[in-house]
Short mmCIF file of all heavy atoms in Angstrom, two decimals:
data_model
loop_
_atom_site.label_atom_id
_atom_site.label_comp_id
_atom_site.label_asym_id
_atom_site.label_seq_id
_atom_site.Cartn_x
_atom_site.Cartn_y
_atom_site.Cartn_z
N MET A 14 -27.79 -113.27 -66.66
CA MET A 14 -26.67 -114.21 -66.68
C MET A 14 -25.54 -113.66 -65.83
O MET A 14 -25.08 -112.53 -66.01
CB MET A 14 -26.21 -114.39 -68.12
CG MET A 14 -24.93 -115.21 -68.24
SD MET A 14 -24.58 -115.57 -69.96
CE MET A 14 -22.91 -116.20 -69.80
N GLU A 15 -25.09 -114.45 -64.90
CA GLU A 15 -24.05 -113.98 -64.01
C GLU A 15 -22.68 -114.21 -64.60
O GLU A 15 -22.40 -115.25 -65.19
CB GLU A 15 -24.16 -114.70 -62.66
CG GLU A 15 -25.38 -114.26 -61.89
CD GLU A 15 -25.31 -114.79 -60.47
OE1 GLU A 15 -24.24 -115.26 -60.07
OE2 GLU A 15 -26.33 -114.73 -59.77
N ASN A 16 -21.87 -113.24 -64.39
CA ASN A 16 -20.52 -113.33 -64.90
C ASN A 16 -19.59 -113.92 -63.83
O ASN A 16 -19.41 -113.33 -62.78
CB ASN A 16 -20.06 -111.92 -65.29
CG ASN A 16 -18.70 -111.97 -65.95
OD1 ASN A 16 -18.03 -112.99 -65.95
ND2 ASN A 16 -18.29 -110.86 -66.52
N PRO A 17 -19.04 -115.07 -64.07
CA PRO A 17 -18.17 -115.72 -63.07
C PRO A 17 -16.90 -114.93 -62.81
O PRO A 17 -16.24 -115.12 -61.80
CB PRO A 17 -17.86 -117.08 -63.69
CG PRO A 17 -18.09 -116.92 -65.15
CD PRO A 17 -19.18 -115.87 -65.28
N ASP A 18 -16.54 -114.06 -63.73
CA ASP A 18 -15.33 -113.28 -63.56
C ASP A 18 -15.56 -111.98 -62.82
O ASP A 18 -14.65 -111.19 -62.63
CB ASP A 18 -14.71 -112.96 -64.93
CG ASP A 18 -14.11 -114.20 -65.57
OD1 ASP A 18 -13.72 -115.10 -64.82
OD2 ASP A 18 -14.06 -114.25 -66.80
N TYR A 19 -16.80 -111.78 -62.43
CA TYR A 19 -17.16 -110.50 -61.83
C TYR A 19 -16.25 -110.13 -60.66
O TYR A 19 -15.69 -109.06 -60.60
CB TYR A 19 -18.62 -110.57 -61.35
CG TYR A 19 -19.10 -109.28 -60.75
CD1 TYR A 19 -19.57 -108.26 -61.58
CD2 TYR A 19 -19.10 -109.09 -59.38
CE1 TYR A 19 -20.03 -107.08 -61.04
CE2 TYR A 19 -19.55 -107.91 -58.84
CZ TYR A 19 -20.01 -106.91 -59.66
OH TYR A 19 -20.45 -105.73 -59.12
N TYR A 20 -16.09 -111.05 -59.73
CA TYR A 20 -15.33 -110.72 -58.54
C TYR A 20 -13.82 -110.73 -58.79
O TYR A 20 -13.04 -110.28 -57.98
CB TYR A 20 -15.69 -111.67 -57.40
CG TYR A 20 -17.00 -111.28 -56.81
CD1 TYR A 20 -18.16 -112.00 -57.08
CD2 TYR A 20 -17.10 -110.16 -55.98
CE1 TYR A 20 -19.38 -111.63 -56.55
CE2 TYR A 20 -18.31 -109.77 -55.46
CZ TYR A 20 -19.45 -110.51 -55.74
OH TYR A 20 -20.64 -110.12 -55.21
N ASN A 21 -13.44 -111.26 -59.92
CA ASN A 21 -12.03 -111.16 -60.27
C ASN A 21 -11.66 -109.73 -60.62
O ASN A 21 -10.50 -109.34 -60.54
CB ASN A 21 -11.72 -112.07 -61.46
CG ASN A 21 -11.73 -113.53 -61.04
OD1 ASN A 21 -11.60 -113.84 -59.86
ND2 ASN A 21 -11.88 -114.41 -62.00
N ASP A 22 -12.64 -108.98 -61.02
CA ASP A 22 -12.39 -107.59 -61.38
C ASP A 22 -12.81 -106.64 -60.28
O ASP A 22 -12.89 -105.45 -60.48
CB ASP A 22 -13.16 -107.24 -62.66
CG ASP A 22 -12.51 -107.88 -63.87
OD1 ASP A 22 -11.31 -108.20 -63.78
OD2 ASP A 22 -13.21 -108.06 -64.86
N ARG A 23 -13.07 -107.19 -59.12
CA ARG A 23 -13.53 -106.37 -58.02
C ARG A 23 -12.69 -106.61 -56.79
O ARG A 23 -12.24 -107.72 -56.55
CB ARG A 23 -14.99 -106.70 -57.66
CG ARG A 23 -15.98 -106.38 -58.77
CD ARG A 23 -16.17 -104.91 -58.94
NE ARG A 23 -17.27 -104.61 -59.86
CZ ARG A 23 -17.14 -104.58 -61.18
NH1 ARG A 23 -15.99 -104.86 -61.74
NH2 ARG A 23 -18.18 -104.28 -61.93
N LYS A 24 -12.51 -105.55 -56.03
CA LYS A 24 -11.92 -105.71 -54.71
C LYS A 24 -12.76 -104.95 -53.73
O LYS A 24 -13.58 -104.10 -54.11
CB LYS A 24 -10.48 -105.21 -54.69
CG LYS A 24 -9.53 -106.14 -55.41
CD LYS A 24 -8.10 -105.75 -55.19
CE LYS A 24 -7.17 -106.72 -55.91
NZ LYS A 24 -5.76 -106.39 -55.70
N PHE A 25 -12.53 -105.23 -52.46
CA PHE A 25 -13.40 -104.62 -51.46
C PHE A 25 -12.88 -103.26 -51.05
O PHE A 25 -11.75 -103.12 -50.60
CB PHE A 25 -13.50 -105.53 -50.24
CG PHE A 25 -14.60 -105.09 -49.31
CD1 PHE A 25 -15.90 -105.52 -49.53
CD2 PHE A 25 -14.34 -104.25 -48.25
CE1 PHE A 25 -16.91 -105.11 -48.70
CE2 PHE A 25 -15.36 -103.84 -47.41
CZ PHE A 25 -16.65 -104.27 -47.64
N CYS A 26 -13.71 -102.26 -51.16
CA CYS A 26 -13.38 -100.92 -50.72
C CYS A 26 -14.01 -100.70 -49.36
O CYS A 26 -15.23 -100.77 -49.22
CB CYS A 26 -13.89 -99.89 -51.72
SG CYS A 26 -13.61 -98.20 -51.15
N SER A 27 -13.17 -100.43 -48.36
CA SER A 27 -13.69 -100.26 -47.01
C SER A 27 -14.44 -98.94 -46.89
O SER A 27 -15.21 -98.73 -45.97
CB SER A 27 -12.55 -100.32 -46.00
OG SER A 27 -11.60 -99.32 -46.28
N ASN A 28 -14.18 -98.05 -47.80
CA ASN A 28 -14.88 -96.76 -47.78
C ASN A 28 -16.27 -96.87 -48.39
O ASN A 28 -17.24 -96.37 -47.83
CB ASN A 28 -14.05 -95.72 -48.53
CG ASN A 28 -14.54 -94.33 -48.27
OD1 ASN A 28 -14.90 -93.98 -47.15
ND2 ASN A 28 -14.58 -93.52 -49.30
N CYS A 29 -16.35 -97.55 -49.49
CA CYS A 29 -17.64 -97.75 -50.16
C CYS A 29 -18.43 -98.90 -49.53
O CYS A 29 -19.61 -99.04 -49.74
CB CYS A 29 -17.43 -98.04 -51.64
SG CYS A 29 -16.66 -96.68 -52.54
N GLN A 30 -17.73 -99.74 -48.75
CA GLN A 30 -18.36 -100.88 -48.09
C GLN A 30 -18.95 -101.86 -49.09
O GLN A 30 -20.01 -102.44 -48.89
CB GLN A 30 -19.45 -100.40 -47.12
CG GLN A 30 -18.88 -99.76 -45.88
CD GLN A 30 -18.16 -100.78 -45.00
OE1 GLN A 30 -18.76 -101.77 -44.57
NE2 GLN A 30 -16.89 -100.58 -44.75
N ARG A 31 -18.28 -102.02 -50.18
CA ARG A 31 -18.72 -103.01 -51.15
C ARG A 31 -17.57 -103.30 -52.11
O ARG A 31 -16.55 -102.64 -52.09
CB ARG A 31 -19.94 -102.51 -51.91
CG ARG A 31 -19.68 -101.25 -52.69
CD ARG A 31 -21.00 -100.66 -53.17
NE ARG A 31 -20.78 -99.40 -53.87
CZ ARG A 31 -20.51 -99.30 -55.16
NH1 ARG A 31 -20.41 -100.39 -55.89
NH2 ARG A 31 -20.34 -98.13 -55.72
N TYR A 32 -17.81 -104.27 -52.95
CA TYR A 32 -16.80 -104.61 -53.94
C TYR A 32 -16.92 -103.67 -55.12
O TYR A 32 -17.99 -103.43 -55.64
CB TYR A 32 -16.96 -106.06 -54.38
CG TYR A 32 -16.46 -107.02 -53.31
CD1 TYR A 32 -17.30 -107.45 -52.30
CD2 TYR A 32 -15.14 -107.45 -53.32
CE1 TYR A 32 -16.84 -108.30 -51.31
CE2 TYR A 32 -14.67 -108.31 -52.34
CZ TYR A 32 -15.52 -108.74 -51.34
OH TYR A 32 -15.07 -109.56 -50.36
N VAL A 33 -15.78 -103.14 -55.50
CA VAL A 33 -15.76 -102.13 -56.53
C VAL A 33 -14.72 -102.48 -57.59
O VAL A 33 -13.84 -103.30 -57.37
CB VAL A 33 -15.39 -100.75 -55.91
CG1 VAL A 33 -16.46 -100.29 -54.94
CG2 VAL A 33 -14.03 -100.82 -55.25
N SER A 34 -14.83 -101.84 -58.72
CA SER A 34 -13.75 -101.95 -59.69
C SER A 34 -12.59 -101.10 -59.19
O SER A 34 -12.78 -100.16 -58.43
CB SER A 34 -14.23 -101.50 -61.06
OG SER A 34 -14.77 -100.22 -61.00
N TYR A 35 -11.40 -101.44 -59.61
CA TYR A 35 -10.24 -100.80 -59.01
C TYR A 35 -9.17 -100.51 -60.04
O TYR A 35 -9.18 -101.05 -61.16
CB TYR A 35 -9.67 -101.68 -57.90
CG TYR A 35 -9.22 -103.04 -58.40
CD1 TYR A 35 -7.91 -103.23 -58.80
CD2 TYR A 35 -10.11 -104.10 -58.48
CE1 TYR A 35 -7.49 -104.46 -59.27
CE2 TYR A 35 -9.70 -105.34 -58.94
CZ TYR A 35 -8.39 -105.51 -59.33
OH TYR A 35 -7.98 -106.73 -59.79
N LEU A 36 -8.26 -99.66 -59.64
CA LEU A 36 -7.11 -99.35 -60.46
C LEU A 36 -5.87 -99.98 -59.84
O LEU A 36 -5.65 -99.87 -58.65
CB LEU A 36 -6.91 -97.84 -60.53
CG LEU A 36 -8.00 -97.07 -61.28
CD1 LEU A 36 -7.77 -95.58 -61.07
CD2 LEU A 36 -7.97 -97.40 -62.74
N MET A 37 -5.09 -100.62 -60.65
CA MET A 37 -3.88 -101.23 -60.15
C MET A 37 -2.75 -100.22 -60.11
O MET A 37 -2.50 -99.48 -61.05
CB MET A 37 -3.46 -102.38 -61.07
CG MET A 37 -4.38 -103.57 -60.99
SD MET A 37 -4.09 -104.52 -59.50
CE MET A 37 -2.48 -105.19 -59.88
N SER A 38 -2.06 -100.20 -58.97
CA SER A 38 -0.82 -99.47 -58.87
C SER A 38 0.30 -100.51 -58.75
O SER A 38 0.05 -101.69 -58.89
CB SER A 38 -0.87 -98.54 -57.66
OG SER A 38 0.38 -97.95 -57.46
N LEU A 39 1.48 -100.06 -58.45
CA LEU A 39 2.57 -101.02 -58.34
C LEU A 39 2.33 -102.03 -57.24
O LEU A 39 2.44 -103.22 -57.43
CB LEU A 39 3.89 -100.28 -58.07
CG LEU A 39 4.52 -99.63 -59.30
CD1 LEU A 39 5.84 -98.97 -58.91
CD2 LEU A 39 4.76 -100.64 -60.41
N ASP A 40 2.00 -101.52 -56.06
CA ASP A 40 1.84 -102.40 -54.91
C ASP A 40 0.41 -102.48 -54.42
O ASP A 40 0.05 -103.38 -53.68
CB ASP A 40 2.71 -101.91 -53.75
CG ASP A 40 4.18 -102.04 -54.08
OD1 ASP A 40 4.54 -103.03 -54.72
OD2 ASP A 40 4.95 -101.16 -53.71
N HIS A 41 -0.40 -101.53 -54.81
CA HIS A 41 -1.73 -101.47 -54.25
C HIS A 41 -2.76 -101.24 -55.34
O HIS A 41 -2.43 -100.88 -56.46
CB HIS A 41 -1.82 -100.33 -53.23
CG HIS A 41 -0.83 -100.48 -52.12
ND1 HIS A 41 -0.84 -101.51 -51.21
CD2 HIS A 41 0.24 -99.73 -51.80
CE1 HIS A 41 0.17 -101.38 -50.38
NE2 HIS A 41 0.86 -100.31 -50.71
N SER A 42 -4.00 -101.42 -54.94
CA SER A 42 -5.09 -101.17 -55.85
C SER A 42 -6.00 -100.12 -55.24
O SER A 42 -6.13 -100.04 -54.02
CB SER A 42 -5.87 -102.46 -56.09
OG SER A 42 -5.01 -103.47 -56.54
N TYR A 43 -6.61 -99.33 -56.08
CA TYR A 43 -7.40 -98.22 -55.57
C TYR A 43 -8.79 -98.24 -56.18
O TYR A 43 -8.97 -98.52 -57.37
CB TYR A 43 -6.72 -96.89 -55.89
CG TYR A 43 -5.38 -96.76 -55.20
CD1 TYR A 43 -4.22 -97.18 -55.82
CD2 TYR A 43 -5.32 -96.26 -53.91
CE1 TYR A 43 -3.00 -97.08 -55.18
CE2 TYR A 43 -4.10 -96.17 -53.25
CZ TYR A 43 -2.95 -96.58 -53.90
OH TYR A 43 -1.75 -96.48 -53.25
N CYS A 44 -9.74 -97.92 -55.34
CA CYS A 44 -11.14 -97.83 -55.75
C CYS A 44 -11.30 -96.77 -56.84
O CYS A 44 -10.79 -95.66 -56.72
CB CYS A 44 -11.96 -97.47 -54.51
SG CYS A 44 -13.68 -97.14 -54.87
N THR A 45 -12.00 -97.13 -57.88
CA THR A 45 -12.20 -96.17 -58.96
C THR A 45 -13.25 -95.14 -58.58
O THR A 45 -13.40 -94.14 -59.25
CB THR A 45 -12.65 -96.88 -60.24
OG1 THR A 45 -13.83 -97.63 -59.97
CG2 THR A 45 -11.57 -97.79 -60.75
N GLU A 46 -13.99 -95.41 -57.51
CA GLU A 46 -15.09 -94.52 -57.17
C GLU A 46 -14.69 -93.47 -56.14
O GLU A 46 -15.13 -92.33 -56.21
CB GLU A 46 -16.25 -95.35 -56.63
CG GLU A 46 -16.59 -96.45 -57.61
CD GLU A 46 -18.03 -96.89 -57.49
OE1 GLU A 46 -18.81 -96.19 -56.85
OE2 GLU A 46 -18.37 -97.94 -58.03
N CYS A 47 -13.88 -93.86 -55.17
CA CYS A 47 -13.53 -92.90 -54.12
C CYS A 47 -12.02 -92.73 -53.96
O CYS A 47 -11.57 -91.82 -53.29
CB CYS A 47 -14.16 -93.33 -52.79
SG CYS A 47 -13.36 -94.76 -52.07
N GLY A 48 -11.26 -93.58 -54.58
CA GLY A 48 -9.82 -93.44 -54.52
C GLY A 48 -9.19 -94.11 -53.32
O GLY A 48 -7.98 -94.11 -53.16
N GLU A 49 -10.02 -94.70 -52.47
CA GLU A 49 -9.50 -95.41 -51.31
C GLU A 49 -8.78 -96.67 -51.75
O GLU A 49 -9.07 -97.23 -52.80
CB GLU A 49 -10.66 -95.78 -50.39
CG GLU A 49 -10.23 -96.25 -49.02
CD GLU A 49 -9.73 -95.10 -48.18
OE1 GLU A 49 -10.07 -93.94 -48.46
OE2 GLU A 49 -8.99 -95.37 -47.22
N ARG A 50 -7.82 -97.08 -50.96
CA ARG A 50 -7.13 -98.32 -51.28
C ARG A 50 -8.09 -99.48 -51.04
O ARG A 50 -8.79 -99.52 -50.04
CB ARG A 50 -5.90 -98.48 -50.40
CG ARG A 50 -4.95 -99.54 -50.92
CD ARG A 50 -3.81 -99.76 -49.98
NE ARG A 50 -2.96 -98.58 -49.87
CZ ARG A 50 -1.96 -98.48 -49.00
NH1 ARG A 50 -1.71 -99.46 -48.17
NH2 ARG A 50 -1.24 -97.39 -48.95
N VAL A 51 -8.12 -100.40 -51.96
CA VAL A 51 -9.03 -101.53 -51.82
C VAL A 51 -8.27 -102.77 -51.41
O VAL A 51 -7.06 -102.87 -51.56
CB VAL A 51 -9.78 -101.79 -53.14
CG1 VAL A 51 -10.73 -100.65 -53.44
CG2 VAL A 51 -8.82 -101.99 -54.29
N ARG A 52 -9.01 -103.73 -50.88
CA ARG A 52 -8.40 -104.95 -50.39
C ARG A 52 -9.06 -106.15 -51.05
O ARG A 52 -10.19 -106.06 -51.53
CB ARG A 52 -8.62 -105.08 -48.88
CG ARG A 52 -8.26 -103.84 -48.12
CD ARG A 52 -8.55 -104.11 -46.65
NE ARG A 52 -8.43 -102.90 -45.85
CZ ARG A 52 -7.27 -102.39 -45.47
NH1 ARG A 52 -6.15 -102.97 -45.83
NH2 ARG A 52 -7.24 -101.31 -44.74
N LEU A 53 -8.34 -107.26 -50.96
CA LEU A 53 -8.94 -108.50 -51.42
C LEU A 53 -10.02 -108.96 -50.46
O LEU A 53 -11.00 -109.55 -50.86
CB LEU A 53 -7.86 -109.59 -51.51
CG LEU A 53 -7.00 -109.55 -52.77
CD1 LEU A 53 -5.90 -110.57 -52.67
CD2 LEU A 53 -7.84 -109.81 -54.00
N PHE A 54 -9.83 -108.63 -49.18
CA PHE A 54 -10.76 -109.09 -48.17
C PHE A 54 -11.88 -108.09 -47.96
O PHE A 54 -11.71 -106.90 -48.19
CB PHE A 54 -10.06 -109.25 -46.82
CG PHE A 54 -8.85 -110.12 -46.89
CD1 PHE A 54 -7.60 -109.59 -46.68
CD2 PHE A 54 -8.97 -111.47 -47.13
CE1 PHE A 54 -6.47 -110.39 -46.71
CE2 PHE A 54 -7.85 -112.29 -47.18
CZ PHE A 54 -6.60 -111.74 -46.96
N SER A 55 -12.98 -108.56 -47.49
CA SER A 55 -13.97 -107.66 -46.92
C SER A 55 -13.43 -107.18 -45.58
O SER A 55 -12.49 -107.72 -45.03
CB SER A 55 -15.30 -108.38 -46.72
OG SER A 55 -15.19 -109.26 -45.64
N GLN A 56 -14.03 -106.15 -45.05
CA GLN A 56 -13.50 -105.55 -43.83
C GLN A 56 -13.57 -106.52 -42.66
O GLN A 56 -12.66 -106.58 -41.84
CB GLN A 56 -14.28 -104.29 -43.49
CG GLN A 56 -13.59 -103.52 -42.38
CD GLN A 56 -14.16 -102.14 -42.21
OE1 GLN A 56 -15.26 -101.87 -42.66
NE2 GLN A 56 -13.43 -101.27 -41.56
N ASN A 57 -14.63 -107.27 -42.58
CA ASN A 57 -14.74 -108.23 -41.50
C ASN A 57 -13.61 -109.24 -41.55
O ASN A 57 -12.99 -109.55 -40.55
CB ASN A 57 -16.08 -108.96 -41.58
CG ASN A 57 -17.18 -108.14 -40.96
OD1 ASN A 57 -16.92 -107.19 -40.22
ND2 ASN A 57 -18.40 -108.49 -41.25
N ASP A 58 -13.38 -109.73 -42.74
CA ASP A 58 -12.31 -110.70 -42.88
C ASP A 58 -10.97 -110.07 -42.55
O ASP A 58 -10.12 -110.66 -41.91
CB ASP A 58 -12.28 -111.23 -44.32
CG ASP A 58 -13.46 -112.11 -44.60
OD1 ASP A 58 -14.11 -112.53 -43.63
OD2 ASP A 58 -13.74 -112.37 -45.77
N TRP A 59 -10.82 -108.83 -43.00
CA TRP A 59 -9.58 -108.14 -42.76
C TRP A 59 -9.36 -107.89 -41.28
O TRP A 59 -8.27 -108.08 -40.75
CB TRP A 59 -9.56 -106.81 -43.52
CG TRP A 59 -8.34 -106.03 -43.20
CD1 TRP A 59 -8.27 -104.93 -42.40
CD2 TRP A 59 -7.00 -106.27 -43.66
NE1 TRP A 59 -6.96 -104.50 -42.32
CE2 TRP A 59 -6.17 -105.30 -43.09
CE3 TRP A 59 -6.45 -107.25 -44.48
CZ2 TRP A 59 -4.80 -105.26 -43.33
CZ3 TRP A 59 -5.08 -107.21 -44.72
CH2 TRP A 59 -4.28 -106.22 -44.15
N GLU A 60 -10.40 -107.48 -40.59
CA GLU A 60 -10.26 -107.17 -39.17
C GLU A 60 -9.96 -108.43 -38.37
O GLU A 60 -9.18 -108.41 -37.43
CB GLU A 60 -11.52 -106.50 -38.65
CG GLU A 60 -11.55 -105.05 -39.09
CD GLU A 60 -12.80 -104.35 -38.59
OE1 GLU A 60 -13.69 -105.02 -38.06
OE2 GLU A 60 -12.88 -103.13 -38.75
N ASN A 61 -10.58 -109.50 -38.76
CA ASN A 61 -10.27 -110.76 -38.11
C ASN A 61 -8.80 -111.12 -38.30
O ASN A 61 -8.10 -111.51 -37.38
CB ASN A 61 -11.14 -111.88 -38.69
CG ASN A 61 -12.56 -111.77 -38.19
OD1 ASN A 61 -12.81 -111.14 -37.17
ND2 ASN A 61 -13.47 -112.36 -38.91
N PHE A 62 -8.38 -110.95 -39.50
CA PHE A 62 -7.00 -111.24 -39.83
C PHE A 62 -6.05 -110.32 -39.08
O PHE A 62 -5.07 -110.75 -38.48
CB PHE A 62 -6.84 -111.05 -41.35
CG PHE A 62 -5.42 -111.18 -41.83
CD1 PHE A 62 -4.79 -112.40 -41.83
CD2 PHE A 62 -4.74 -110.08 -42.31
CE1 PHE A 62 -3.49 -112.53 -42.29
CE2 PHE A 62 -3.44 -110.19 -42.77
CZ PHE A 62 -2.81 -111.42 -42.75
N HIS A 63 -6.37 -109.05 -39.08
CA HIS A 63 -5.53 -108.05 -38.43
C HIS A 63 -5.51 -108.25 -36.93
O HIS A 63 -4.48 -108.15 -36.28
CB HIS A 63 -6.08 -106.67 -38.76
CG HIS A 63 -5.06 -105.59 -38.61
ND1 HIS A 63 -3.98 -105.46 -39.45
CD2 HIS A 63 -4.96 -104.59 -37.72
CE1 HIS A 63 -3.26 -104.42 -39.07
NE2 HIS A 63 -3.82 -103.87 -38.02
N ASP A 64 -6.67 -108.58 -36.39
CA ASP A 64 -6.80 -108.81 -34.97
C ASP A 64 -5.93 -109.99 -34.55
O ASP A 64 -5.22 -109.95 -33.55
CB ASP A 64 -8.26 -109.09 -34.64
CG ASP A 64 -8.52 -108.94 -33.16
OD1 ASP A 64 -8.06 -107.93 -32.58
OD2 ASP A 64 -9.16 -109.82 -32.58
N THR A 65 -5.97 -111.02 -35.34
CA THR A 65 -5.15 -112.19 -35.06
C THR A 65 -3.67 -111.83 -35.08
O THR A 65 -2.91 -112.24 -34.20
CB THR A 65 -5.41 -113.28 -36.12
OG1 THR A 65 -6.81 -113.57 -36.14
CG2 THR A 65 -4.65 -114.54 -35.79
N LEU A 66 -3.29 -111.04 -36.03
CA LEU A 66 -1.90 -110.63 -36.11
C LEU A 66 -1.50 -109.83 -34.89
O LEU A 66 -0.43 -110.03 -34.33
CB LEU A 66 -1.69 -109.76 -37.36
CG LEU A 66 -1.49 -110.51 -38.67
CD1 LEU A 66 -1.12 -109.50 -39.75
CD2 LEU A 66 -0.40 -111.54 -38.54
N GLN A 67 -2.36 -108.92 -34.49
CA GLN A 67 -2.00 -108.05 -33.38
C GLN A 67 -1.92 -108.80 -32.07
O GLN A 67 -1.14 -108.47 -31.19
CB GLN A 67 -3.02 -106.92 -33.26
CG GLN A 67 -2.82 -105.91 -34.37
CD GLN A 67 -3.39 -104.57 -34.02
OE1 GLN A 67 -4.37 -104.50 -33.27
NE2 GLN A 67 -2.83 -103.51 -34.54
N ARG A 68 -2.72 -109.82 -31.94
CA ARG A 68 -2.64 -110.62 -30.73
C ARG A 68 -1.33 -111.38 -30.67
O ARG A 68 -0.80 -111.66 -29.60
CB ARG A 68 -3.79 -111.63 -30.70
CG ARG A 68 -5.08 -111.00 -30.27
CD ARG A 68 -6.23 -111.96 -30.54
NE ARG A 68 -7.50 -111.23 -30.64
CZ ARG A 68 -8.31 -111.06 -29.63
NH1 ARG A 68 -8.00 -111.52 -28.45
NH2 ARG A 68 -9.43 -110.42 -29.78
N GLN A 69 -0.82 -111.72 -31.83
CA GLN A 69 0.41 -112.49 -31.85
C GLN A 69 1.63 -111.60 -31.64
O GLN A 69 2.64 -112.04 -31.14
CB GLN A 69 0.53 -113.22 -33.19
CG GLN A 69 -0.50 -114.34 -33.28
CD GLN A 69 -0.53 -114.95 -34.67
OE1 GLN A 69 0.05 -114.42 -35.59
NE2 GLN A 69 -1.22 -116.06 -34.83
N LYS A 70 1.48 -110.36 -32.03
CA LYS A 70 2.61 -109.44 -31.90
C LYS A 70 2.70 -108.85 -30.51
O LYS A 70 1.67 -108.55 -29.91
CB LYS A 70 2.46 -108.30 -32.90
CG LYS A 70 3.17 -108.57 -34.20
CD LYS A 70 3.31 -107.29 -34.97
CE LYS A 70 2.28 -107.21 -36.06
NZ LYS A 70 2.35 -105.99 -36.83
N PRO A 71 3.87 -108.63 -29.98
CA PRO A 71 4.02 -107.86 -28.76
C PRO A 71 3.69 -106.40 -29.02
O PRO A 71 3.85 -105.93 -30.13
CB PRO A 71 5.50 -108.03 -28.41
CG PRO A 71 6.17 -108.35 -29.71
CD PRO A 71 5.13 -109.09 -30.53
N LYS A 72 3.21 -105.73 -28.00
CA LYS A 72 2.86 -104.33 -28.20
C LYS A 72 4.10 -103.48 -28.43
O LYS A 72 5.16 -103.74 -27.88
CB LYS A 72 2.11 -103.81 -26.97
CG LYS A 72 0.63 -104.08 -27.11
CD LYS A 72 -0.16 -103.26 -26.11
CE LYS A 72 -1.65 -103.47 -26.35
NZ LYS A 72 -2.43 -102.76 -25.33
N GLY A 73 3.93 -102.46 -29.20
CA GLY A 73 5.05 -101.58 -29.47
C GLY A 73 5.60 -101.77 -30.87
O GLY A 73 6.46 -101.04 -31.29
N GLY A 74 5.04 -102.73 -31.55
CA GLY A 74 5.45 -102.91 -32.94
C GLY A 74 6.80 -103.58 -33.04
O GLY A 74 7.33 -104.13 -32.08
N ARG A 75 7.33 -103.51 -34.20
CA ARG A 75 8.59 -104.18 -34.44
C ARG A 75 9.75 -103.41 -33.81
O ARG A 75 9.70 -102.19 -33.72
CB ARG A 75 8.82 -104.33 -35.92
CG ARG A 75 8.82 -103.00 -36.63
CD ARG A 75 8.85 -103.19 -38.12
NE ARG A 75 8.55 -101.92 -38.78
CZ ARG A 75 8.45 -101.80 -40.09
NH1 ARG A 75 8.60 -102.84 -40.84
NH2 ARG A 75 8.16 -100.64 -40.63
N PRO A 76 10.75 -104.12 -33.37
CA PRO A 76 11.91 -103.48 -32.76
C PRO A 76 12.64 -102.60 -33.75
O PRO A 76 12.77 -102.96 -34.92
CB PRO A 76 12.78 -104.65 -32.31
CG PRO A 76 12.33 -105.81 -33.13
CD PRO A 76 10.87 -105.57 -33.42
N ARG A 77 13.07 -101.49 -33.26
CA ARG A 77 13.75 -100.56 -34.16
C ARG A 77 15.24 -100.83 -34.20
O ARG A 77 15.86 -101.08 -33.17
CB ARG A 77 13.55 -99.13 -33.67
CG ARG A 77 12.43 -98.42 -34.39
CD ARG A 77 12.41 -97.00 -33.95
NE ARG A 77 11.54 -96.19 -34.80
CZ ARG A 77 11.29 -94.91 -34.54
NH1 ARG A 77 11.80 -94.33 -33.49
NH2 ARG A 77 10.52 -94.22 -35.33
N LYS A 78 15.78 -100.71 -35.34
CA LYS A 78 17.23 -100.79 -35.43
C LYS A 78 17.80 -99.43 -35.09
O LYS A 78 17.44 -98.43 -35.68
CB LYS A 78 17.64 -101.18 -36.86
CG LYS A 78 17.89 -102.66 -37.02
CD LYS A 78 18.55 -102.93 -38.35
CE LYS A 78 18.77 -104.43 -38.54
NZ LYS A 78 19.32 -104.72 -39.86
N GLN A 79 18.69 -99.45 -34.15
CA GLN A 79 19.33 -98.19 -33.80
C GLN A 79 20.59 -98.03 -34.64
O GLN A 79 21.40 -98.93 -34.72
CB GLN A 79 19.71 -98.17 -32.32
CG GLN A 79 18.47 -98.08 -31.45
CD GLN A 79 18.83 -97.98 -29.98
OE1 GLN A 79 19.98 -98.15 -29.64
NE2 GLN A 79 17.87 -97.70 -29.15
N ARG A 80 20.68 -96.87 -35.21
CA ARG A 80 21.89 -96.67 -35.99
C ARG A 80 22.92 -95.89 -35.17
O ARG A 80 23.26 -94.75 -35.44
CB ARG A 80 21.60 -95.94 -37.29
CG ARG A 80 20.80 -94.67 -37.09
CD ARG A 80 20.71 -93.95 -38.43
NE ARG A 80 20.12 -92.61 -38.25
CZ ARG A 80 20.06 -91.74 -39.23
NH1 ARG A 80 20.51 -92.06 -40.41
NH2 ARG A 80 19.53 -90.55 -39.04
N GLY A 81 23.33 -96.55 -34.08
CA GLY A 81 24.30 -95.92 -33.21
C GLY A 81 25.72 -96.12 -33.69
O GLY A 81 26.60 -95.33 -33.43
N LYS A 82 25.88 -97.22 -34.39
CA LYS A 82 27.25 -97.51 -34.82
C LYS A 82 27.62 -96.63 -36.01
O LYS A 82 26.92 -96.59 -37.01
CB LYS A 82 27.35 -98.97 -35.25
CG LYS A 82 27.78 -99.88 -34.13
CD LYS A 82 28.07 -101.27 -34.67
CE LYS A 82 28.47 -102.21 -33.54
NZ LYS A 82 28.67 -103.57 -34.03
N GLU A 83 28.70 -95.97 -35.84
CA GLU A 83 29.19 -95.20 -36.97
C GLU A 83 30.28 -95.99 -37.67
O GLU A 83 31.24 -96.43 -37.05
CB GLU A 83 29.75 -93.87 -36.50
CG GLU A 83 28.66 -92.94 -36.04
CD GLU A 83 29.26 -91.61 -35.64
OE1 GLU A 83 30.47 -91.43 -35.83
OE2 GLU A 83 28.52 -90.79 -35.10
N SER A 84 30.11 -96.17 -38.92
CA SER A 84 31.16 -96.88 -39.66
C SER A 84 32.33 -95.94 -39.91
O SER A 84 32.15 -94.78 -40.24
CB SER A 84 30.61 -97.40 -40.98
OG SER A 84 30.03 -96.37 -41.71
N ALA A 85 33.50 -96.50 -39.71
CA ALA A 85 34.69 -95.70 -39.88
C ALA A 85 34.84 -95.35 -41.36
O ALA A 85 35.11 -94.27 -41.74
CB ALA A 85 35.92 -96.48 -39.42
ZN1 ZN B 268 -14.46 -96.72 -52.73
#
């Protein structure tokens, strides 16, 4: 009997290359098996997503704020 909630308790670990149970942290979740950060996406999905983002972004990343101004 398949458990429909199975994947609700699993996230994809890029290190283990499969869906694993995970530990919740404040902002991230971690694989219980290897400690790697896990994702909601599989790696393929993630890379597609990431690739799309990088194509949209100009190279060099986000502009840096220079803290040249000294407040009196
Ligand atoms: Zn893992």
